[in-house]
Amino acid sequence: MEQRPKKLLEQVQDAIRLKHYSYQTEKTYVHWIKRYIFFHNKQHPKDMGGKEIEAFLTDLAVHQKVAASTQNQALHAILFLYKEVLKQNLDLKVDAVRAKQTRYLPTVLTKEEVLAIIKQLSGVYQLVIKLLYGTGLRLTEGLQLRVKDVDFAQQQIIVRDGKGMESRVTMLPASIAEELKMHLQGVKLLHQQDLQKGYGSVYLPFALERKYPEAKYEWIWQFVFPSGNISQDPRSGEVRRHYLHESGLQKALKKAVQDAKINKKVGCHTFRHSFATHLLQNGYDIRTVQELLGHKDVKTTMIYTHVLNRGGKGVRSPLDS
């Protein structure tokens, strides 16, 4: 039986998976490509080019009022479509109206505020937040952590294929080591129960699942923070236990911030910002902090120095003179 030709968005999904991009990136790119096509009344992208891209991006900025980062995200998705799927090198300079780039200053908590929030949390959510603050991990890096990447002997955590597909090493806080060991004992018991029920497999990155078919059942590959439910993998269709979903953690954190009476906009990433700032305050050099965070450019890390200067760049107000 002859196979039907793949639809454009299916080709996009195949190209994204070939590049080993995350499932979240896949959903985001497909979303923007669909919006681009619908904006131009379902015209096929191969029949469009620079003018149509400019019109779409301008509409996002002028009428949709999106942030600069959102507009850039849409542009990257469309350029991926042309380069990787349609194999067209547009070689264009997009002259769309650009969304206004705002200077972002991260919210940073004091150590007392961090501890107050952690005190309001419990169970696995408390442990995850402790880990984010104690290591500087991004939320997805923390939730996708695997058993084999927690090195208790060396007191370190290996972050594999982080942002930009780069790997790095960060510290394992001594204050949570025993708690993390106890947590993993419970996770191992859960994994053994899953195996007895005919499950127990986990998603493996890249082509490892084909190369090592049995590895997906091994303890070392399991997620440190597994989901409470077994579900169907949206890509492979296999029924397995994924990692903890971020939405439950975010809800618990929001309540904890309210209960701790912290009048700041706090998200999971705030603990990474606080980690970096507190290290700088404690006298660690910026290059060390850059490596721990996994920043390619030290300029990205420099944003945390604004807190060290206090208030208006360290200038004393005349009212206080």
Side-chain angles (χ1 to χ4, degrees):
M1 184 176 175
E2 191 176 338
Q3 275 191 326
R4 65 168 178 81
K6 288 195 172 184
K7 294 180 180 178
L8 181 64
L9 292 180
E10 290 175 330
Q11 293 176 46
V12 170
Q13 290 174 324
D14 286 347
I16 288 170
R17 293 173 190 184
L18 192 64
K19 292 280 184 182
H20 306 301
Y21 290 173
S22 70
Y23 181 56
Q24 186 57 49
T25 300
E26 178 181 319
K27 289 197 298 182
T28 301
Y29 275 27
V30 168
H31 165 79
W32 284 118
I33 291 167
K34 282 171 75 174
R35 281 187 61 170
Y36 170 61
I37 294 169
F38 276 82
F39 179 79
H40 290 292
N41 300 313
K42 299 184 181 180
Q43 193 174 353
H44 198 287
K46 66 179 172 53
D47 300 321
M48 298 189 282
K51 280 198 310 182
E52 288 80 10
I53 296 172
E54 287 175 14
F56 176 62
L57 295 176
T58 297
D59 181 76
L60 288 179
V62 176
H63 297 113
Q64 307 300 321
K65 308 290 186 187
V66 302
S69 58
T70 303
Q71 191 189 43
N72 283 332
Q73 192 181 68
L75 174 60
H76 290 152
I78 294 167
L79 293 181
F80 181 90
L81 167 68
Y82 280 98
K83 184 180 177 184
E84 303 295 341
V85 180
L86 299 177
K87 306 299 181 184
Q88 295 180 18
N89 283 316
L90 295 177
D91 193 27
L92 54 82
K93 182 179 179 182
V94 177
D95 292 321
V97 174
R98 304 315 298 266
K100 187 176 180 181
Q101 187 83 42
T102 54
R103 185 170 179 238
Y104 170 68
L105 292 178
T107 299
V108 174
L109 300 165
T110 65
K111 187 167 184 181
E112 291 72 26
E113 288 172 331
V114 169
L115 295 176
I117 293 170
I118 288 174
K119 192 177 178 181
Q120 297 298 327
L121 292 163
S122 61
V124 68
Y125 292 148
Q126 186 188 68
L127 183 56
V128 173
I129 293 299
K130 282 181 180 178
L131 191 73
L132 298 184
Y133 173 61
T135 62
L137 296 182
R138 298 176 178 93
L139 175 58
T140 51
E141 292 171 345
L143 295 182
Q144 294 176 16
L145 200 62
R146 296 180 191 258
V147 172
K148 68 184 182 62
D149 296 324
V150 181
D151 188 340
F152 289 102
Q154 298 293 324
Q155 290 188 305
Q156 65 182 22
I157 289 174
I158 302 168
V159 185
R160 301 186 191 275
D161 308 317
K163 193 173 181 181
M165 302 304 288
E166 297 286 337
S167 296
R168 69 183 192 280
V169 174
T170 188
M171 75 284 282
L172 169 60
S175 59
I176 65 167
E178 287 306 314
E179 186 180 355
L180 193 55
K181 283 180 182 177
M182 289 179 63
H183 166 77
L184 285 173
Q185 287 175 9
V187 175
K188 191 167 190 177
L189 181 61
L190 180 65
H191 175 55
Q192 289 168 346
Q193 291 171 349
D194 285 347
L195 288 171
Q196 290 168 4
K197 294 174 184 176
Y199 300 113
S201 74
V202 70
Y203 165 77
L204 295 184
F206 312 128
L208 284 173
E209 193 163 332
R210 288 198 302 274
K211 193 173 181 181
Y212 306 107
E214 297 304 310
K216 62 185 179 180
Y217 297 105
E218 292 178 13
W219 164 238
I220 62 168
W221 283 101
Q222 301 305 306
F223 291 117
V224 172
F225 300 109
S227 169
N229 302 308
I230 288 174
S231 57
Q232 188 176 51
D233 189 311
R235 285 181 164 181
S236 68
E238 187 168 348
V239 177
R240 55 179 33 145
R241 194 179 294 278
H242 206 47
Y243 55 80
L244 195 69
H245 198 277
E246 60 189 46
S247 61
L249 175 62
Q250 289 164 339
K251 286 177 186 174
L253 177 60
K254 184 177 180 180
K255 185 177 185 305
V257 172
Q258 291 171 346
D259 292 345
K261 297 180 171 55
I262 306 295
N263 297 315
K264 292 180 180 178
K265 187 178 179 182
V266 178
C268 293
H269 213 64
T270 306
F271 295 92
R272 176 174 161 88
H273 297 321
S274 302
F275 163 87
T277 305
H278 295 170
L279 284 183
L280 291 171
Q281 287 174 333
N282 290 339
Y284 289 96
D285 68 274
I286 199 161
R287 293 287 180 183
T288 299
V289 177
Q290 177 194 357
E291 286 182 22
L292 290 171
L293 292 174
H295 288 160
K296 283 188 176 179
D297 193 332
V298 75
K299 288 179 183 175
T300 310
T301 319
M302 286 289 289
I303 197 168
Y304 298 112
T305 61
H306 81 282
V307 178
L308 306 182
N309 294 326
R310 298 179 181 275
K313 299 185 180 296
V315 177
R316 186 176 177 86
S317 168
L319 185 64
D320 298 331
S321 300

